Amino acid sequence: MLDVRLKRMKSIKYPLIDLGDSFPASKSSIGLYESADQMGLCNLLAIIGGCFCSDRRFYDRDGKTFKITGVTPEPQISGLHRFLAHVCYNPIKRFQVDLGPAGEADLDQMKQRIRELLENDPGDLLYQWTDHEEWEAGLTASNSVPELFDFITKRALVDHYDYGNESGEQDGGGQAATRSEST
């Protein structure tokens, strides 16, 4: 069993994109995960909110879709933990997340979801580096899942911020860096 799980996890090509498929667009955003370890690091409110639900989908560059098939240890949250997480104590926990295949990505469905996320962008996170016109141009120009994936990971979310610029000003030619957002 462990060998099968390790083999499956090694066959997954990271990064993976999370479009928050199982959450309302008004409460989600686009996430970028570099590893399963990164997926397993979350706070109690994220667990309460369903971050480990099996309806979530993660997309790789090749158009493969993955879902959460297991979480170790099983999250145990008491009523007291729920109360404290909402009021004052929301600790970050580490879990092992197992992913399994969930079919092939549908390009039109991905584009539709991204447009929903853009319309309901909480806190203007998605417009932080990329304006509406550039998002629309990138979505329209993407004719395959790899093209859409590259637009998101190499242009829309990553390549706009110059991390070497100490003044903090944005620059489209800056170093690529990754970020992920908890859903």
Side-chain angles (χ1 to χ4, degrees):
M1 176 74 168
L2 182 60
D3 291 336
V4 172
R5 185 168 51 182
L6 288 175
K7 186 175 183 181
R8 185 175 24 195
M9 295 306 283
K10 287 182 182 179
S11 70
I12 298 172
K13 295 178 187 174
Y14 289 91
L16 297 177
I17 292 177
D18 174 14
L19 300 178
D21 295 318
S22 64
F23 303 103
S26 62
K27 295 187 179 196
S28 190
S29 192
I30 298 175
L32 186 62
Y33 292 97
E34 295 291 334
S35 69
D37 289 341
Q38 193 178 23
M39 287 179 192
L41 191 61
C42 61
N43 60 37
L44 288 178
L45 285 176
I47 296 167
I48 293 166
C51 72
F52 294 139
C53 78
S54 61
D55 291 339
R56 284 181 77 184
R57 296 295 179 259
F58 304 92
Y59 304 89
D60 75 2
R61 187 180 186 285
D62 297 332
K64 294 179 184 167
T65 306
F66 301 92
K67 65 181 178 178
I68 295 175
T69 57
V71 178
T72 310
E74 179 83 23
Q76 301 290 325
I77 302 175
S78 69
L80 178 61
H81 286 128
R82 287 178 188 277
F83 173 76
L84 291 174
H86 284 286
V87 175
C88 63
Y89 181 67
N90 186 24
I92 294 175
K93 303 278 187 174
R94 182 174 298 277
F95 298 89
Q96 179 181 334
V97 176
D98 297 324
L99 298 175
E104 295 293 318
D106 179 321
L107 179 64
D108 292 331
Q109 200 172 44
M110 290 176 72
K111 288 181 178 183
Q112 178 184 351
R113 178 60 179 179
I114 292 168
R115 287 184 174 106
E116 289 172 5
L117 292 170
L118 290 168
E119 286 176 25
N120 296 285
D121 190 14
D124 291 329
L125 292 172
L126 297 175
Y127 290 123
Q128 194 169 343
W129 295 303
T130 307
D131 63 20
H132 179 75
E133 291 77 24
E134 189 175 0
W135 270 108
E136 194 54 44
L139 292 173
T140 302
S142 299
N143 295 315
S144 67
V145 173
E147 287 178 3
L148 179 60
F149 191 94
D150 288 345
F151 167 69
I152 292 169
T153 60
K154 295 180 180 174
R155 186 68 187 154
L157 295 184
V158 177
D159 198 28
H160 278 277
Y161 193 79
D162 181 2
Y163 286 89
N165 182 353
E166 291 185 25
S167 69
E169 294 179 21
Q170 291 183 4
D171 177 17
Q175 292 178 311
T178 58
R179 70 176 199 175
S180 66
E181 298 158 16
S182 297
T183 53

